[in-house]
């Protein structure tokens, strides 16, 4: 059988480790005996003068207001993708993490204000509202459950909404004064950014030049210039690859192969880049820089807290420090877990398979890691250096406590419900309104297959399945679910989406045999020809293949399979229990017979 291992990205673990190392380095540097070089370095100034206009920033401001603009730009790109093509494009899927994220913003702020309701620290409530997306996903990869399933997707969607809320708070509550003329220029610049997509050529340079102008205008207006990064990202288009663009790129590639020369090479590169949305190209381009360079530099510039006896003693007795710790650790856990439980109890939303309350609580606890934006808001909300140190101690302590608390909750949850048990039971019960079923939907016997249309073993299994169905007749319902093994079958994902597009026109079980019969011909043109052979609406078929609904439908099956540690095809579940061993017709018939309820055997 063919295998594909999926899980957390190694880059997420590496980025979280690098961020942690930068934090430790900042603490060591700031507390080096007999040296004040940390503060002296980050207070060093750089100035740019053009025609009497001066841009004067110290190194810390250059990081926080300059480099971090690129970080928030990448966050904005992800937000746009999630709302357009990803998890948040389906309203029913988005409602639970959205409500949980809002509660995760409000409850920590209320807890902080309950502790700091008087005095000069009240304005710092924004420090506790946001989770650190990079640290959250990295921590989940390191201390999370063995088979995370949909939990990572849920927390990612929650973090996206969390980022939007935190950035809105910065704009509304942490902007001291506004200069109207530069702000108008910034808004006009954003309008131009939106219009750049209509340029036939030179979109890349245009985005760069206008983005710089927008950043400078926001900076001059008094509004946090990092918000310009998010605004620009939200205006950059994102879409699934269009057939005409893909075909044009392929034609240019063929021309270069037939006549290699610089002109054809440049045209082929432009054609390939043009077939993918600007949003996705920029996300792939800049994400490594933000994860492995900008965020560690930001941590190095902001995490250097003086941990001498006086600072620690002041922090231990400081309502500001304890308000931040309680807000992030308790507020995030109670807000996110409580809101999700309420949504589920009121049947206003549902959780995907595998997200048990224990796992949800563990993820909610990890959301108390409020590192990046929390440190960012400290610099905006607290002018006093001594109080800033107390607040940073609170953020560091809260992040460490949240990490340990999340780890403890996950370990307890895995002990109460071991992952080894989850691998043997079908994660999501058969749903006639969603699943692809052959046979009566109320049949007492159930056979579920996780398969891949390009897998030769799945092709061979079709004969066994036909014999099994003929043997049991109306007593059996057969269910197909997707597990495209993309690392070994380059057309498997495209084929899975094509089958879903056919299903939207009522022809799933007519389309699937055509792909099995032509496993060596699963290019887009081949799939469109099969759709025409069945008399499907070709334009609708192609549009549905690119839709977010179809992509998410296939991804759901993949995540369910990952939750159950299913990484090979075909994998069968009989009566909700995982089948091991051969899948010839006689073996399957015997095990299906044995799965009958006790009174029917």
């Amino acid at each position: 059988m063919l295998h594909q291992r999926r899980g957390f990205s190694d880059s997420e673990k590496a980025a979280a480790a690098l961020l942690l190392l930068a934090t430790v380095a900042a603490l060591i540097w700031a507390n080096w005996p007999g040296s004040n070089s940390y503060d002296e370095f980050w207070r060093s100034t750089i100035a740019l003068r053009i025609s009497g206009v001066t841009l004067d920033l110290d190194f810390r401001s250059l990081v926080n207001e300059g480099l971090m603009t690129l970080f928030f730009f990448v966050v904005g790109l992800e937000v746009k993708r999630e709302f357009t093509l990803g998890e948040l494009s389906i309203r029913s899927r988005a409602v639970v993490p959205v409500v949980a994220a809002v509660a995760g913003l409000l409850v920590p702020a209320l807890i902080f204000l309950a502790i700091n309701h008087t005095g000069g620290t009240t304005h710092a409530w924004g420090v506790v509202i946001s989770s650190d997306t990079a640290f959250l996903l990295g921590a989940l990869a390191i201390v999370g459950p063995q088979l995370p399933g949909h939990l990572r997707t849920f927390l990612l969607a929650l973090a996206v909404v969390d980022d939007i809320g935190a950035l809105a708070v910065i704009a509304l509550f942490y902007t001291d004064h506004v200069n109207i003329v530069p702000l108008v220029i910034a808004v006009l610049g954003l309008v131009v950014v939106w219009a750049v997509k209509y340029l036939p050529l030179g979109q890349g340079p245009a985005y760069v030049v206008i983005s710089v102008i927008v950043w400078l205008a926001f900076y001059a207006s008094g509004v946090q210039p990092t918000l310009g990064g998010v605004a620009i990202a939200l205006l950059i288009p994102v879409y699934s690859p269009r057939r005409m663009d893909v075909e044009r790129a392929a034609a240019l590639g063929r021309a270069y192969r037939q006549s290699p020369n610089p002109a054809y090479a440049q045209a082929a590169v432009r054609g390939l880049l043009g077939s993918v949305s600007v949003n996705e190209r920029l996300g792939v381009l800049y994400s490594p820089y933000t994860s492995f360079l900008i965020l560690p530099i930001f941590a190095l510039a902001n995490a250097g807290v003086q941990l001498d006896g006086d600072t620690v003693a002041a922090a231990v007795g400081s309502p500001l420090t304890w308000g931040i710790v309680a807000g992030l650790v308790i507020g995030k856990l109670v807000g996110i877990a409580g809101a999700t439980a309420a949504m589920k109890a009121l049947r206003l939303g549902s959780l995907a398979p595998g997200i048990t309350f224990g796992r949800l609580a563990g993820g909610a606890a990890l959301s108390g890691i409020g590192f990046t934006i929390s440190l960012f808001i400290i610099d905006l909300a607290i002018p006093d250096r001594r109080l800033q140190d107390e607040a940073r101690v609170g953020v560091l302590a809260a992040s460490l406590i949240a990490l340990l608390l999340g780890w403890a909750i996950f370990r307890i949850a895995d002990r109460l419900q071991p992952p080894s048990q989850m691998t043997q039971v079908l994660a999501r019960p058969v749903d006639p309104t969603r699943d692809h079923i052959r046979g009566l939907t109320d049949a007492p016997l159930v056979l579920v297959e996780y398969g891949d249309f390009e897998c030769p073993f799945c092709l061979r299994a079709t004969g066994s399945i036909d014999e099994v169905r003929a043997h049991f007749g109306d007593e059996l319902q057969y269910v197909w679910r997707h597990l495209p093994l993309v690392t070994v079958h380059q057309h498997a994902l495209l084929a899975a989406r094509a089958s879903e597009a056919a299903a939207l026109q009522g022809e799933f079980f007519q389309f699937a045999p055509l792909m099995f019969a032509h496993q060596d011909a699963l290019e887009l043109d081949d799939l469109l020809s099969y759709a025409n052979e069945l008399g499907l609406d070709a334009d609708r078929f192609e549009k549905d293949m690119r839709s977010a609904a179809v992509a998410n439908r296939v991804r759901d099956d993949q995540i369910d399979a990952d939750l159950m540690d299913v990484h090979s095809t075909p994998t069968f579940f009989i009566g909700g229990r995982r089948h091991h061993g051969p899948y010839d017709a006689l073996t399957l018939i015997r095990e299906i017979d044995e799965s009958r309820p006790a009174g029917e055997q």
Side-chain angles (χ1 to χ4, degrees):
M1 288 192 289
L2 299 173
H3 296 267
Q4 175 204 15
R5 176 64 61 178
R6 294 187 308 276
F8 286 109
S9 166
D10 289 338
S11 64
E12 290 177 349
K13 297 180 181 179
L18 190 58
L19 198 57
L20 181 60
L21 287 175
T23 302
V24 173
L27 290 169
I28 294 174
W29 185 6
N31 291 276
W32 195 260
S35 172
N36 196 33
S37 62
Y38 181 83
D39 282 334
E40 290 175 356
F41 176 82
W42 293 110
R43 289 176 182 173
S44 302
T45 301
I46 184 171
L48 176 65
R49 294 183 177 88
I50 302 176
S51 299
V53 178
T54 301
L55 180 64
D56 196 347
L57 294 170
D58 61 32
F59 283 180
R60 181 175 284 116
S61 296
L62 183 63
V63 171
N64 292 352
E65 299 181 1
L67 294 182
M68 286 299 286
T69 300
L70 186 58
F71 167 75
F72 286 116
F73 173 75
V74 172
V75 169
L77 291 175
E78 186 169 17
V79 169
K80 182 68 176 285
R81 281 197 303 275
E82 286 298 323
F83 273 104
T84 305
L85 301 175
E87 286 288 309
L88 299 180
S89 64
I90 303 174
R91 185 174 301 177
S92 60
R93 182 67 54 82
V95 63
V96 177
V98 167
V99 172
V102 172
L105 293 168
L106 294 176
V107 175
L110 293 174
I111 290 177
F112 177 88
L113 290 173
I115 298 174
N116 293 269
H117 58 279
T118 59
T121 59
T122 302
H123 190 54
W125 59 268
V127 174
V128 301
I129 63 172
S130 182
S131 303
D132 187 291
T133 304
F135 249 139
L136 171 61
L137 296 180
L140 185 66
I142 295 170
V143 306
Q146 180 180 345
L147 303 172
H150 288 272
L151 179 62
R152 183 188 183 281
T153 305
F154 178 90
L155 291 178
L156 180 59
L158 183 145
V160 167
V161 180
D162 184 284
D163 286 335
I164 295 174
L167 294 173
V169 165
I170 292 174
L172 295 174
F173 298 99
Y174 294 106
T175 300
D176 294 332
H177 62 278
V178 176
N179 297 320
I180 299 300
V181 173
L183 184 60
V184 170
I185 294 174
V187 172
L188 291 176
L190 292 175
V191 173
V192 177
V193 169
W194 172 82
V196 165
K197 61 185 177 182
Y198 295 109
L199 288 178
L201 295 172
Q203 290 185 3
Y207 277 126
V208 172
V209 172
I210 299 166
S211 296
V212 171
I213 293 173
V214 169
W215 185 90
L216 291 171
F218 269 117
Y219 180 81
S221 73
V223 175
Q224 273 300 312
T226 51
L227 296 175
V230 179
I232 292 168
L234 294 178
L235 293 171
I236 291 178
V238 58
Y239 48 81
S240 298
R242 294 175 289 225
R243 185 188 180 198
M244 58 181 294
D245 295 329
V246 174
E247 289 181 345
R248 179 174 178 273
L252 291 170
R254 286 193 297 270
Y256 173 73
R257 186 172 65 249
Q258 294 168 359
S259 179
N261 63 71
Y264 279 0
Q266 290 179 349
V269 169
R270 286 196 299 269
L272 287 170
L273 293 176
S275 65
V276 181
S277 72
V278 179
N279 175 292
E280 293 175 291
R281 296 206 308 267
L282 293 177
V284 170
L285 176 64
Y286 290 123
S287 289
Y289 294 103
T290 59
S291 298
F292 294 100
L293 182 63
I294 292 176
L295 285 178
I297 291 175
F298 173 82
L300 192 64
N302 290 273
V305 181
Q306 288 283 345
L307 294 178
D308 53 32
D310 293 339
T311 300
V312 173
V316 169
S318 170
L320 174 61
T321 303
W322 287 109
I324 290 173
V325 171
L328 285 171
V329 176
I330 300 174
K332 285 292 184 181
L333 175 59
V334 173
I336 293 171
T340 304
M343 291 288 289
K344 186 176 181 181
L346 297 173
R347 297 185 179 179
L348 298 176
S350 59
L351 295 175
I355 305 183
T356 62
F357 187 78
R359 291 185 167 205
L360 175 68
L366 289 183
S367 298
I369 302 175
F371 193 81
T372 304
I373 294 182
S374 293
L375 293 178
F376 187 76
I377 294 179
I378 285 173
D379 193 52
L380 302 176
I382 305 173
D384 184 89
R385 177 67 183 179
R386 178 183 59 82
L387 292 177
Q388 284 184 353
D389 283 345
E390 292 177 11
R392 291 191 178 101
V393 169
V395 170
L396 295 175
S399 297
L400 178 59
I401 294 170
L403 177 65
L404 295 176
L405 180 61
W407 172 83
I409 293 175
F410 283 132
R411 299 291 79 79
I412 293 171
D414 279 352
R415 179 166 295 184
L416 295 176
Q417 188 176 15
S420 59
Q421 294 180 4
M422 299 174 65
T423 64
Q424 305 305 312
V425 180
L426 190 66
R428 172 167 39 85
V430 175
D431 182 356
T433 65
R434 178 192 184 280
D435 279 311
H436 304 300
I437 299 174
R438 298 189 73 175
L440 300 178
T441 57
D442 59 350
L445 305 175
V446 181
L447 175 66
V448 178
E449 176 183 1
Y450 280 84
D452 173 328
F453 290 114
E454 200 175 2
C455 169
F457 301 100
C458 294
L459 171 60
R460 296 173 192 172
T462 57
S464 297
I465 294 166
D466 288 341
E467 287 187 44
V468 171
R469 293 187 62 242
H471 176 84
F472 288 105
D474 290 342
E475 285 189 294
L476 177 73
Q477 55 174 312
Y478 163 75
V479 181
W480 169 277
R481 289 180 178 173
H482 301 287
L483 182 55
L485 305 181
V486 295
T487 58
V488 289
H489 297 145
Q490 61 178 331
H491 304 103
L493 183 58
L494 188 66
R497 293 183 178 182
S499 71
E500 289 299 324
L504 292 175
Q505 299 187 47
E507 299 290 342
F508 179 87
F509 284 111
Q510 289 69 40
F511 195 86
L514 291 175
M515 292 192 292
F516 275 131
H518 303 89
Q519 286 189 322
D520 58 344
L522 295 176
E523 299 283 355
L524 179 59
D525 286 340
D526 301 317
L527 299 172
L528 289 171
S529 71
Y530 306 149
N532 287 324
E533 184 177 334
L534 291 175
L536 304 182
D537 182 331
D539 290 337
R540 177 188 170 191
F541 176 85
E542 185 178 354
K543 182 179 179 180
D544 286 337
M545 281 185 64
R546 300 196 309 268
S547 70
V550 162
N552 286 329
R553 171 69 176 75
V554 174
R555 183 168 57 183
D556 281 350
D557 284 356
Q558 291 176 285
I559 294 175
D560 287 341
D562 192 54
L563 173 68
M564 299 178 294
D565 202 26
V566 173
H567 300 291
S568 62
T569 56
T571 294
F572 294 96
F573 286 80
I574 296 173
R577 303 291 301 180
R578 188 167 181 170
H579 166 75
H580 296 277
Y583 45 85
D584 60 277
L586 292 177
T587 300
L588 292 177
I589 288 171
R590 183 179 67 253
E591 289 204 16
I592 292 172
D593 263 327
E594 292 173 354
S595 73
R596 292 178 183 274
E600 298 181 11
Q601 292 182 357

